Structures are given as C-alpha cells and as structure tokens.
Amino acid sequence: MSENHLLSQNSAPHSDVEEIKRRSNYLRGSLAETLEDRITGSIPEDDNRLMKFHGSYMQDDRDLRNERNKQKLEPAYQFMVRVRAAGGVVTSEQWLMMDRIARQFANGTIRLTTRQSFQLHGVIKWNMKNVITEVNEALLSTLAACGDVNRNVMCNPNPYQSEVHHQVYEWAKKVSNHLDPRTRAYHEIWLDEEKVIDSRDGEEQEPIYGPVYLPRKFKIGIAVPPANDVDVFSQDLGFIAIHEEGRLLGFNVAVGGGMGMSHGDPKTYPQVARVIGFITPEQLLDVAEKTVTIQRDYGDRSVRKHARFKYTIDDRGIEWFVNELEQRLGWKLEKARPYQFEHNGDRYGWVKGSDDNWHFTLFIQNGRVKDEDSYLLMSGLREIAKVHAGDFRLTPNQNLIIGNVPREKKQEIEQIIHDYGLTDGTAYSALRRNSMACVALPTCGLAMAESERYLPTLLDKIELILDEAGLRDEEIVIRMTGCPNGCARPALAEIAFIGKAVGKYNMYLGGGFSGNRLNKLYRENIGEAEILEELRPILNRYAKEREEGEHFGDFVIRAGYVKEVRSGLDFHE
C-alpha cells in the first residue's frame, strides 16, 4: 500500500506525529545531529517522537523540576532506555552488561518491566550512544522497544518448564524477529554503520510497516494454559497455546485487547481481547503479519487516543476483522479449541525443569533491582551472574527467574541467595506477591500520582487489614499505576488504583483472578485514608462470606459492590 494511500486512509486530518514519521526518512530525522549538541540535555520534540522507535523516552526528574526552575536552570533532562529480549530470556553475560551500564551510565538501578524488558533511568544525552552500543555488542537491542511498531513479544519465561513451553518460546522469538523494523537508521545513528543507500531514492525499507509505520504501539503475547502470566487478553494480538499430552497442537488467536484510557474521556477504555479461532504453529507468523498490516491500513491516524487496535476492531466489528484477516491470509481459521486458565501470577521458589535443571523465581518488588542498606539485591544478582552458566528470565509480573541451574551448581547458587538474603517472597503476604506498579514519579512525564514508590507503603497498611481478617495467605491480584495509560495492566486486577492527582486515586474492583475480566470503578479520587476505610469492610466480609475457592474479584461482583465487566464497551456504564 502506498504512502499516499496510508496517509489518506481517514478523511480527518492526520496527527502531527504522522507527519513527523512521514518526514523522518525511515526514523532518521535529525537525531544524529541532535545527539552531538552539548549545549542542552534535551532534544527537539520531533526527534523525541522518533527516539521512541529507537527504544528511549526523554524525561526529566520531576522531584527537581521546581527547584531548577527557581534557579533558572533547564529541567534535569535524562533518558529512559528500554532493552528488549523476546520472552525476557537473557544470558548471565547480558545480565552483567545491564548491571554495568546501569551503574556507569544510569541511576544505578535496573527496572524489570511488565513486558519482560529492561529499563534504565537517568541516562544523559551524551551517554546514550555508549549505552546503546554496549547493549548491541551484548546481542540485545533497544530497537522497537518503544514507538509505533510491534513491541517486545511476551511469553512464559521458562522455556524448560516443558517441551511445549520451549516451543512457544522459540515461536515468540520468530514472531519478534519477523516484525522487527527493517530500517537501517538505528544502525547508522547508534552503531556507526555506514549509510549505503538513501531510502529517499525509492528503496522500500519497511515491507510490513510501510513508511509511516503503525498508528500506535502494538503488543503481542503468547500464553501457555493453565498459566496466563502474560495477561494474554490485554494484548493487541494474543496467542493461547493449545497442547495435549506434551504436544503443541497450535494456538487460539485473541485480538483487540489493550489497557490504556484517558480520565474523563468515555470514548477511551481498556478492553479484553476476543478469541476468534485456532491456527497451527506454522500459520503463526502469517497471522501475526497480516494482523499488523490490517492495523497499519485501518488504524486511526487522526486521533492518537483512538489509534490502538482495540478501537479499530470495536469501530468496525469483530466479524469485519475476521473477514479481512481471512481474505489477506487466503485461508480460514479453524474453530477455537477448549482451554482453561487458572491464574495470571508467578510461582515462586525452586522448580525442576523438563531438562532436569533447576529454576528459582525471585520476588522483585515492582521490578526494581537495586541495593539498599538492608537488602543488597543488585549485588547478590551480580555475584550469581558471575558463576551462573544458565540464564536469567524476566517474568511478565516484574519478577526474575534464575534459570537453567544444573544440579551440581544448585548448592552454590543457593548459598549466594542465602548470603544476600534474596527472597522468593514467602515472608510477604500473598497480596504483595501478586502486586505490580508502574514507575510513575519522578521520571515518567505522564504520571499524575505516585505508584512504584508508594504501593509498598500502602501494602504495609492493607496487610494489617488482611492479618485481622485472616487473609494474609489469600492470593489477590492488586496493581497500581500513576496514570490511566495502564502500564501495569491495572484494568485486569481484582483491586486496582489508577492515579488521578498527587495522593489521589481511582479505585477499581472486580477483575478476574486469571486475567480474563475487566474491573469496574468503585470509588473516584480518594486518598489513603479513604482507600483503607473502603477496603476494610469489604475484605472482612470476603473473609467471612466467601464460598469455597471463590476469588476476591468474583466475590465483589456476587456481593454487589461492582457489576461484572466482560467488555471495555461496558467499562464506563
């Protein structure tokens, strides 16, 4: 499809971002020149938009913003750099590289994201090239970690849990590689690759995305029942592995999920993906590519708030999408196969894999790897990486698996875990082990309230209520974000808090424990005292009146606190 056709697909004027992409010469813009400017730590907004495709967002330290303004200084500009690896699996050498550049070029910490990627915060502009060069030399990449393209492909991070898990991981890598952008801009700007051909001469560089890429970001995840740890229904495109007696038969296809919305705008809402059929493994790449091209051609390029794939499907209907997909494929999907999810969290501690090696899942609160006076987590993981011949696996819930530990190495790894007091979370409440939070303040420019820095404190106080009610070991999914963009997938949680203003949150209840149902607004714009006041009687009633095996999200619906929400179209009703 031609560039002109793509830019005229909708009758409304296109957003400024679409024009920036069109003029960028396949994501080059003036980034190379901008990065040489040492006068300011910032970059122009057009280049900042393009920088996302290269895996970075410009931010500033909002804790320092007012003071620097008083001193007539520019904001403390810095960059977040996101490093991706399909399925979140990296080697010990790659972990040591991330540890080294975090301490040398960033703020001394590593953030494990909800999409199984790494984030570094506090990188200044003139260190960006050093960081991205080292990442690529370690055979990882920041390309397409952000931007209007397919992001990191998620899957269960333990490929040795079974042969099916291993096959799914390999397919996740294939999908990720297949949907990578093909422009050489990344290699020219960051890796000093000599420019061989000028794309303006008409050389097609993006056979899947085209010259203006997608209208918005696109997310893919692959789940292996009974675990829905990737929250497959939150994905633009989800694949549910169908397996029988240790054999991977294929995948159910789910389309149109997404978490983001905007406060006060009922036209925006989170959505759960809908299952449309079954495919064989060999059909996976074709389905992924054709789905992406449909969003490329029909997604809203006028209003970015309305540009996600979920709105493309909801506006036109699921039948329209299936017909369009099958027309592009040239064949029809089979009827969806039966499956069952039991949970969407992680399972902690030691697990023996199908290859007789061992895997240890650590609880990493909100995904932040750092050293504190009482907990030297970053140092402990560094020492493990120095002797560990296996790998490290980032889970979709911000935790970490020390993976593929041979029997003869298990005792040595256990000793380091013990020496540094690294934990699988057994000393914490089940609620805390099932918690997630986005970064929010001070670095995220979109944050309206605290999240990562505040949720642990709030959990301390909720845990007192749980102790009183005898619910400390009851698994309840709780999530917090500093804004409604949904990075920690709050709309699927049994209890969720979405930032509205400093110290104020919207409180949601009723998501499905296995990630299959949206929650519902329960109280709006409340602070900590009101949150605890609202939760105490509900949790006490749950402790007394729950049915056998009944999860908290199911209970609050049965008890009438909120209505059941199966579709985002009903989210605001």
Side-chain angles (χ1 to χ4, degrees), residues 30 80 84 489:
S30 58
M80 180 274 284
R84 67 187 182 102
R489 305 190 291 277

Side-chain angles (χ1 to χ4, degrees), residues 184-213:
R184 303 307 297 177
Y186 182 84
H187 301 78
E188 294 167 15
I189 294 168
W190 305 106
L191 308 177
D192 294 327
E193 178 181 273
E194 184 178 349
K195 190 173 183 181
V196 177
I197 196 161
D198 190 335
S199 62
R200 288 171 295 186
D201 293 338
E203 177 73 15
E204 176 57 67
Q205 295 194 12
E206 295 292 4
I208 295 177
Y209 293 115
V212 284
Y213 297 86

Side-chain angles (χ1 to χ4, degrees), residues 73-86:
L73 297 171
E74 73 173 10
Y77 288 117
Q78 54 187 259
F79 291 82
M80 180 274 284
V81 179
R82 187 176 292 151
V83 179
R84 67 187 182 102

Side-chain angles (χ1 to χ4, degrees), residues 173-383:
K173 289 195 295 183
K174 290 176 184 177
V175 172
S176 181
N177 293 336
H178 188 70
L179 296 176
D180 272 353
R182 297 294 185 250
T183 175
R184 303 307 297 177
Y186 182 84
H187 301 78
E188 294 167 15
I189 294 168
W190 305 106
L191 308 177
D192 294 327
E193 178 181 273
E194 184 178 349
K195 190 173 183 181
V196 177
I197 196 161
D198 190 335
S199 62
R200 288 171 295 186
D201 293 338
E203 177 73 15
E204 176 57 67
Q205 295 194 12
E206 295 292 4
I208 295 177
Y209 293 115
V212 284
Y213 297 86
L214 298 181
R216 281 294 298 274
K217 58 189 173 185
F218 197 90
K219 298 180 177 180
I220 297 176
I222 311 178
V224 184
N228 185 21
D229 49 356
V230 304
D231 273 330
V232 72
F233 300 112
S234 73
Q235 312 288 338
D236 293 277
L237 175 59
F239 296 104
I240 301 167
I242 304 300
H243 52 99
E244 187 177 277
E245 297 179 353
R247 293 188 305 116
L248 177 65
L249 304 180
F251 302 91
N252 282 350
V253 181
V255 297
M259 292 289 95
M261 62 175 179
S262 298
H263 285 315
D265 185 352
K267 294 181 180 179
T268 68
Y269 49 84
Q271 183 60 287
V272 285
R274 283 136 286 180
V275 176
I276 60 171
F278 172 85
I279 61 172
T280 65
E282 292 72 24
Q283 295 170 326
L284 185 68
L285 296 183
D286 200 11
V287 169
E289 177 182 320
K290 298 303 189 298
T291 301
V292 166
T293 64
I294 292 172
Q295 171 62 355
R296 177 198 68 193
D297 297 343
Y298 288 96
D300 190 340
R301 293 184 182 270
S302 302
V303 181
R304 283 185 68 80
K305 286 183 179 181
H306 189 253
R308 288 294 297 275
F309 187 43
K310 59 186 174 183
Y311 301 122
T312 306
I313 290 181
D314 288 350
D315 289 351
R316 292 171 171 80
I318 196 72
E319 290 184 3
W320 165 86
F321 172 76
V322 173
N323 289 335
E324 181 70 21
L325 176 62
E326 290 180 342
Q327 183 177 340
R328 296 191 183 206
L329 291 170
W331 47 268
K332 291 186 177 297
L333 279 66
E334 297 179 34
K335 184 179 178 181
R337 305 280 180 93
Y339 66 93
Q340 183 174 355
F341 286 128
E342 296 177 359
H343 61 86
N344 64 351
D346 292 331
R347 294 298 175 260
Y348 297 97
W350 285 107
V351 175
K352 192 174 184 180
S354 60
D355 59 352
D356 289 333
N357 284 341
W358 290 86
H359 314 274
F360 186 83
T361 303
L362 282 165
F363 173 67
I364 310 288
Q365 187 154 252
N366 300 328
R368 182 69 67 176
V369 177
K370 62 179 179 179
D371 280 348
E372 298 176 323
D373 290 341
S374 58
Y375 191 41
L376 300 181
L377 172 61
M378 193 170 188
S379 293
L381 291 173
R382 186 185 314 129
E383 292 307 309

Side-chain angles (χ1 to χ4, degrees), residues 53-55 81-83 132 135-136 140-146 186:
F53 289 84
H54 297 261
V81 179
R82 187 176 292 151
V83 179
I132 292 178
V135 165
N136 279 268
L140 293 174
S141 179
T142 67
L143 176 64
C146 322
Y186 182 84

Side-chain angles (χ1 to χ4, degrees), residues 490-510:
L492 293 173
E494 296 177 284
I495 303 172
F497 303 99
I498 297 178
K500 195 77 183 291
V502 177
K504 298 289 184 179
Y505 300 85
N506 285 355
M507 177 176 166
Y508 297 79
L509 298 175

